């Protein structure tokens, strides 16, 4: 069940719980993304395109710039796509984009996410997304 709040960043508590929990192997991140109608670059005006773009366009730019860094870190996109409605789940909960990203370990994910170049590029994601979910999945 959702609480109606938008989720855009990892909370300190959730980050500590994830990185502090056992597990050394690969991790797959399930990303559910809802885009803004118009990307909001107020937090990073130096990265804003000359004319307004949609959230989907800003996210596409984020992925184009981020993919080489992700691949260099040992990560890979397993799936990137769209979906309409849940087959099982709330009919009103609609996501614009679904992404599965694999990293070799939590440590490699943290190194990738905290890299200064990666952090700068993430401003495009921030401009693009109005709500998201990120669910780490470990193999049994």
């Amino acid at each position: 069940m959702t609480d109606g709040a938008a989720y855009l960043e990892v909370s300190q508590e959730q980050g500590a719980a994830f990185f502090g929990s056992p597990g050394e192997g690969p991790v797959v991140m399930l990303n559910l993304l809802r885009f803004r109608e118009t990307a909001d670059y107020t937090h990073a005006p130096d990265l804003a395109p000359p004319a307004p773009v949609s959230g989907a366009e800003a996210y596409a730019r984020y992925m184009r710039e981020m993919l080489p860094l992700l691949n260099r870190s040992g990560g890979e996109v397993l799936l990137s796509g769209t979906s309409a409605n849940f087959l099982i789940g709330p009919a009103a909960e609609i996501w614009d984009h679904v992404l599965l990203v694999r990293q070799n370990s939590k440590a490699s994910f943290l190194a990738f996410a905290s890299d200064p170049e990666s952090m700068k590029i993430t401003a495009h994601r921030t401009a693009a997304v109005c709500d998201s979910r990120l669910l780490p999945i470990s193999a049994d």
Side-chain angles (χ1 to χ4, degrees):
M1 182 174 301
T2 62
D3 58 12
Y7 295 90
L8 301 172
E9 302 291 333
V10 176
S11 75
Q12 195 170 23
E13 296 81 16
Q14 289 171 312
F18 172 67
F19 290 109
S21 66
E24 298 300 318
V27 62
V28 174
M29 297 289 188
L30 167 63
N31 293 258
L32 301 176
L33 306 163
R34 191 170 299 126
F35 298 132
R36 299 176 194 277
E37 188 172 320
T38 303
D40 178 4
Y41 280 94
T42 55
H43 65 285
D46 56 316
L47 295 179
V53 297
S54 69
E57 290 170 302
Y59 193 79
R61 182 174 177 187
Y62 163 75
M63 287 303 296
R64 277 191 310 275
E65 294 181 18
M66 191 62 84
L67 199 53
L69 298 178
L70 175 65
N71 293 337
R72 267 198 313 265
S73 76
E76 67 177 316
V77 174
L78 301 176
L79 179 132
S80 176
T82 59
S83 182
N85 298 310
F86 282 104
L87 185 57
I88 298 175
E93 189 174 315
I94 297 172
W95 298 98
D96 297 318
H97 199 80
V98 178
L99 194 68
L100 288 173
V101 178
R102 185 199 56 76
Q103 274 288 353
N104 290 327
S105 65
K106 291 178 189 180
S108 63
F109 174 71
L110 181 59
F112 162 73
S114 59
D115 175 86
E117 189 176 356
S118 175
M119 292 171 63
K120 180 178 179 182
I121 294 168
T122 298
H124 295 295
R125 182 189 185 282
T126 303
V129 175
C130 65
D131 196 10
S132 66
R133 303 293 182 271
L134 183 60
L135 180 66
I137 304 163
S138 299
D140 291 337

